[in-house]
Amino acid sequence: MNSTVSNTLVNQVHCPSCAHIFRPEVICFIAEHDKLQGDRIAGPLEGLRFRSSRFNIDGNAVDMEGRVCTRVACPSCHIEIPRALLENPTCFISIVGAPGSGKSCLLGAASWSLRKLAGQYGCSWVDVEPRLNALLHGYESGLFGAGGAMRTPLKTEVAGGDWYHQIKVGTKLEMLPKPMYFRVARTGGVSSIIVMYDNAGEHFLPVAENAEPPHTRHLGQAQALLFVFDPTMSHASDKAQRQELILIEAVSRIRRLAGVSQSAKLPIPIIIVLSKADLWAQEIRSYITQPPIAPGTIVDLDRQKIEEVSTLSHAYMSEKFPEFVQSVAAFSDRVQWVPCCAMKSSGKASTGQVENQPRANWSEVPFLLAFDQIARSQRRK
Ligand SMILES: Nc1nc2c(ncn2[C@@H]2O[C@H](COP(=O)(O)OP(=O)(O)OP(=O)(O)O)[C@@H](O)[C@H]2O)c(=O)[nH]1
Ligand SMILES: [Mg+2]
Ligand SMILES: [Zn+2]
């Protein structure tokens, strides 16, 4: 890259898709000219990835056919990444939970809420490159779009182009999740890029050691873990047991991928997101109708209120799901319990059918808490 931009570059970039770590100078550009379509790793429909030695005055690469190229890709997996990753600190947030626990709805509701409320929390929240967040935009407009019936996100599939990039590694095809990117900044302060993923719950089910699907490789670079626990999954069903197993499996993968001992406490904060609060949290619901806002240094979060709600939720969980609570305590000393909902379901007496209405309460809180904690730890370094 040319010298006009190099003074603002970060020291190293973590690829959000394949976890490769590289210096920004070795970034690949994506060719724009029609004659340069097709890439041996990214696929035949993608522009060629290349290292450039020709730049225009704005610091953009020029491809072999003379077209200006602004899009960049990881030098290892060739998946496109936002250029902002070269210039801003990154916060990786991994969202884990059983199939159907509410991860995709949570993402849609959180993103929708943050677009409206970020200013009140003393920060800004914008798409880094809207094109790369298309999946999430679909969740948001389905849940909160004006007019028409509310559409909940489709079940996140275990494979397929909407949710995953497909690349060619040697002779093998590999699926990697499509990250979602937001720029968050304290009003008037330095910005960070939040990277999040929406996996299918099935990817977190226990597998034989060293057989982890590549889809969840992001767990190795997670700086905060959001575990979505659905208290409405019947205690007696298989799924209830899975929630516990999924947590144990996720922690074990994080430890393996991050190279920490299997008996060590997790070195990152865990936030247990208690989803579907409209259905179960009668005693707690009144606490989460208003966003928890109070002056803070990084984000204006009302920590006292959040702590109060976390204590109430922990008490609820200790009574109803003691095994789960014990597992969590064994993994971390830094756990927060955050109830939230993405919608309100109610039975319609006349038809007996369930009716859903958009209702995002506290869905943004787990993400702001995670960002706040990551930003604090980055400041301490
Ligand atoms: N009442 C209520 N129902 C919810 C809420 N969030 C999710 N649901 C319901 O739970 C279903 C599953 O939610 P998803 O967000 O798709 O679950 P997921 O964790 O992404 O599931 P996978 O994609 O299979 O891993 C939705 O279709 C909704 O019917 C909520 O806040 N309240
Ligand atoms: Mg999903
Ligand atoms: Zn990569």
Side-chain angles (χ1 to χ4, degrees), residues 141-365:
S141 56
L143 288 167
F144 303 100
M150 183 180 147
R151 283 175 288 111
T152 52
L154 292 175
K155 193 234 161 320
T156 311
E157 297 295 345
V158 293
D162 284 350
W163 288 275
Y164 308 95
H165 290 288
Q166 185 168 285
I167 57 163
K168 205 164 176 200
V169 184
T171 53
K172 249 180 47 199
L173 289 176
E174 200 165 88
M175 294 270 185
L176 297 170
K178 285 186 176 170
M180 299 160 186
Y181 301 99
F182 287 93
R183 184 191 293 277
V184 59
R186 171 102 201 144
T187 312
V190 181
S191 62
S192 298
I193 307 298
I194 303 250
V195 185
M196 310 184 292
Y197 308 82
D198 185 27
N199 278 99
E202 287 79 357
H203 289 148
F204 301 112
L205 296 177
V207 290
E209 192 164 345
N210 298 328
E212 290 119 353
H215 313 75
T216 61
R217 211 176 277 157
H218 56 83
L219 287 170
Q221 51 193 3
Q223 290 160 291
L225 172 66
L226 263 54
F227 188 89
V228 179
F229 184 95
D230 175 359
T232 71
M233 278 186 185
S234 156
H235 210 47
S237 78
D238 286 356
K239 282 184 175 172
Q241 190 198 11
R242 279 204 212 152
Q243 296 199 78
E244 162 107 351
L245 292 180
I246 283 173
L247 175 70
I248 296 170
E249 174 71 14
V251 170
S252 146
R253 281 189 209 174
I254 292 175
R255 285 169 169 157
R256 262 203 302 275
L257 291 162
V260 290
S261 144
Q262 282 296 331
S263 55
K265 297 253 178 182
L266 272 195
I268 56 171
I270 300 187
I271 298 165
I272 308 288
V273 183
L274 301 169
S275 60
K276 311 183 189 179
D278 56 302
L279 297 177
W280 60 271
Q282 286 90 340
E283 304 87 25
I284 304 172
R285 230 177 283 156
S286 62
Y287 289 81
I288 63 167
T289 49
Q290 294 300 319
I293 297 170
T297 43
I298 294 175
V299 180
D300 291 342
L301 278 172
D302 185 342
R303 302 187 146 268
Q304 205 179 331
K305 177 99 174 266
I306 292 170
E307 212 44 62
E308 205 178 323
V309 172
S310 179
T311 306
L312 285 171
S313 308
H314 180 258
Y316 172 90
M317 290 293 290
S318 301
E319 188 191 324
K320 306 273 187 208
F321 304 96
E323 340 67 49
F324 182 80
V325 174
Q326 274 168 32
S327 301
V328 174
F331 295 144
S332 177
D333 299 324
R334 301 196 277 162
V335 183
Q336 273 154 315
W337 303 78
V338 182
C340 62
C341 61
M343 65 183 81
K344 181 172 163 34
S345 297
S346 47
K348 215 175 175 187
S350 52
T351 59
Q353 281 181 335
V354 175
E355 201 173 69
N356 292 328
Q357 287 173 334
R359 178 78 52 93
N361 286 341
W362 276 42
S363 31
E364 72 285 6
V365 175

